[in-house]
Amino acid sequence: MFKNLLIYRLAETWQPDLAALQEAADAATFIPCGATQPISAGWVAPRGRAHGTLVEPVGGHWLMRLMVEQKVLPGSVVKRRIDEMAERIEADTGRKPGKKQRKDMKDQAQLELLPQAFTRQIGLPVWIAPEQGLLMIDAASTARADEVITLLTKGLAGFSIEPIHTALAPSTAMAGWLLAGATHAADGEPPEAAIEPPAVFTIDRDCELKAPDESKSVVRYARHPLDTDEVRSHIEQGKRPTRLALTWNGRVSFMLTEQMVLKKIEFLDGVHEGQPTGNSRDADEAFDADAAIATGELIRLIPDLLDALGGEQQPGLYAPVDAPAALPPRLPDTPASDEPPPWE
């Protein structure tokens, strides 16, 4: 049900109200793009049923789904249309269009081509845990999550969220865990920066390390042991973990990023034990069961993860623990390479 998870803290100034949330969703239902509309966003039924309920309460959790539809206009098609327009102007006037005129031509070309453009739809599952005061969004990027937050803010009076801060930056904690693992494997003395991972988490076999300096060098491991001298050497030389594969309690595996985003979430075999499979359950039973399992597991995983990162800091009191001297400063958010990691 969830593949990625961006986690936010609901502001204490907003009191969750299911009726108000349902009313706001009904007022912002999804409508496909019009002929010249480049993008449209709105709520659809989480169960995938036409005209279904837009907010589904399951076990004390509220599930929603934002649909984003966008017209796809390839740049080459727009450029070809601009060139045609420019050639016509040059033939009529004897001069080439200037920079400002070409910009106006681009706007005109896009307007003309939008009715013929293909559309792409992206569904974003949204999960509100009112008792825990959390908002979770299944999105591949913060830009997509912002679309959810914007729509909720517009529709709900007083709605706001706050970023979650932890005492340890995720990259600092991940580096410490890797150093501790490599030290145990070599049966040596742990360095000062080593941090024992909590017992509920195990380190898996995928990792990405980046250098924070101008070299922007990247090392990626896929399905590879990480408790090695080679990994330890990369960290001690200055590279920082930006992604690390973990498993929680033998039940949920995921990739933790330096922004504390959970990616590639997978519920392991034991989680679904005893659940009917295949055609033995209808769509509603499947949705209810999957939702109960996903929210039930993840709502226990999240506090364990926050504890593993030193605990959540109160809003306005964010004072992250400094990285030990053996570790370099945090990386900027800009990626070192456009090449996707092998596990994407």
Side-chain angles (χ1 to χ4, degrees):
M1 176 165 279
F2 299 103
K3 290 298 182 184
N4 308 288
L5 221 55
L6 283 75
I7 309 168
Y8 302 90
R9 174 66 63 191
L10 295 172
E12 293 182 0
T13 53
W14 180 71
Q15 294 301 314
D17 184 327
L18 180 58
L21 183 61
Q22 290 172 329
E23 184 178 345
D26 289 340
T29 57
F30 172 70
I31 300 173
C33 290
T36 59
Q37 185 180 2
I39 188 169
S40 177
W43 302 107
V44 296
R47 292 181 186 271
R49 183 184 300 136
H51 310 297
T53 302
L54 300 180
V55 183
E56 287 284 354
V58 177
H61 302 279
W62 303 343
L63 302 178
M64 306 174 71
R65 186 176 183 85
L66 183 73
M67 182 65 70
V68 180
E69 183 177 83
Q70 191 167 7
K71 292 286 185 73
V72 180
L73 272 180
S76 58
V77 175
V78 176
K79 183 179 182 302
R80 185 165 63 243
R81 179 61 183 138
I82 294 172
D83 290 343
E84 292 171 355
M85 296 164 67
E87 288 174 5
R88 186 178 302 115
I89 290 173
E90 186 175 1
D92 293 343
T93 65
R95 60 178 180 81
K96 292 184 178 181
K99 185 179 293 186
K100 182 180 183 305
Q101 191 173 6
R102 285 189 71 91
K103 183 180 182 301
D104 293 338
M105 290 161 53
K106 180 180 180 180
D107 293 339
Q108 182 182 341
Q110 289 176 332
L111 197 62
E112 291 177 3
L113 292 169
L114 275 174
Q116 308 166 43
F118 292 105
T119 58
R120 177 177 58 193
Q121 290 187 345
I122 299 174
L124 303 175
V126 179
W127 165 25
I128 295 177
E131 184 177 337
Q132 291 79 11
L134 293 173
L135 166 70
M136 278 69 63
I137 302 172
D138 185 346
S141 68
T142 54
R144 286 297 183 198
D146 286 345
E147 294 173 352
V148 172
I149 296 167
T150 297
L151 206 58
L152 289 172
T153 304
K154 286 181 178 178
L156 292 167
F159 177 86
S160 64
I161 54 122
E162 296 161 347
I164 289 182
H165 297 300
T166 52
L168 278 174
S171 56
T172 300
M174 291 188 289
W177 299 340
L178 289 169
L179 287 173
T183 302
H184 290 322
D187 198 23
E189 187 70 23
E192 183 181 349
I195 302 172
E196 289 294 336
V200 291
F201 289 101
T202 55
I203 295 174
D204 296 335
R205 295 164 61 88
D206 293 326
C207 179
E208 178 181 80
L209 302 165
K210 289 185 181 179
D213 57 26
E214 62 277 1
S215 71
K216 296 183 178 180
S217 58
V218 181
V219 177
R220 293 180 179 127
Y221 293 94
R223 298 175 294 280
H224 191 283
L226 300 179
D227 55 349
T228 65
D229 288 339
E230 181 181 284
V231 172
R232 174 175 176 166
S233 177
H234 279 304
I235 295 173
E236 291 177 340
Q237 290 171 17
K239 293 185 180 67
R240 292 185 67 78
T242 54
R243 295 175 180 232
L244 179 63
L246 300 168
T247 293
W248 171 79
N249 260 341
R251 300 177 68 81
V252 183
S253 66
F254 62 98
M255 186 81 68
L256 178 64
T257 77
E258 60 181 331
Q259 289 87 21
M260 208 181 75
V261 177
L262 280 61
K263 291 181 172 286
K264 309 292 287 183
I265 295 171
E266 183 179 353
F267 298 95
L268 304 182
D269 291 342
V271 174
H272 296 280
E273 192 171 317
Q275 293 293 323
T277 59
N279 297 326
S280 61
R281 57 180 186 170
D282 63 25
D284 283 336
E285 288 176 339
F287 179 89
D288 290 339
D290 291 345
I293 288 172
T295 57
E297 296 293 329
L298 293 173
I299 206 62
R300 293 187 293 131
L301 182 158
I302 291 169
D304 282 349
L305 178 60
L306 296 180
D307 288 344
L309 298 176
E312 185 177 359
Q313 304 297 291
Q314 291 298 317
L317 299 178
Y318 179 39
V321 174
D322 291 334
L327 297 178
R330 285 188 77 180
L331 285 171
D333 290 339
T334 53
S337 169
D338 291 333
E339 180 186 354
W343 52 77
E344 292 288 359

